[in-house]
Amino acid sequence: TGNFKGIVGKEPYPVGRKAGEVLRQLLLRGVEKLKNLFRGNRSRSEVVATFLAVLELCKANRVEISGDSAETAEITIVKGHKRG
C-alpha cells in the first residue's frame, strides 16, 4: 500500500458511492459526456473513484461509452441490463 501514499489521501472516496452518483446522473439526463462526470470532483481521490466507478459500471454492463475521442465520448445506461 505504500506505493499509493500521496496519490490517495487518508480517506479515499468510495467507488461504490461514486458509481451510484454516476447512475443517478445518467437516469436524470439519459446521456452524459464522459468528461462531465469529472467536473466538480473535489479531490484526486474522487477523480480516481470516478474513473474506477465508470470502469466497474462498464464491466458490469450497466453503462456504455461511445465516441471517437475523449472530447466526444458519451456514457449511457445499457437498456435491458441483466444482472449476473
Side-chain angles (χ1 to χ4, degrees):
T1 59
N3 294 340
F4 296 106
K5 194 170 190 173
I7 295 174
V8 177
K10 292 179 183 175
E11 296 181 28
Y13 201 97
V15 175
R17 178 172 144 196
K18 182 51 81 171
E21 291 173 9
V22 168
L23 287 174
R24 279 190 295 281
Q25 191 169 347
L26 290 173
L27 286 169
L28 288 172
R29 296 197 174 128
V31 64
E32 182 66 87
K33 288 200 178 287
L34 183 60
K35 67 181 182 176
N36 289 349
L37 296 179
F38 295 91
R39 284 204 176 129
N41 284 187
R42 294 186 174 97
S43 66
R44 185 176 293 175
S45 175
E46 189 174 359
V47 169
V48 171
T50 301
F51 177 74
L52 293 175
V54 169
L55 289 180
E56 287 294 322
L57 291 169
C58 285
K59 181 180 174 185
N61 203 31
R62 300 289 309 272
V63 301
E64 293 178 323
I65 299 174
S66 60
D68 296 332
S69 70
E71 285 297 310
T72 63
E74 293 183 333
I75 185 168
T76 56
I77 290 181
V78 172
K79 302 291 184 210
H81 165 73
K82 294 181 181 177
R83 292 182 186 251

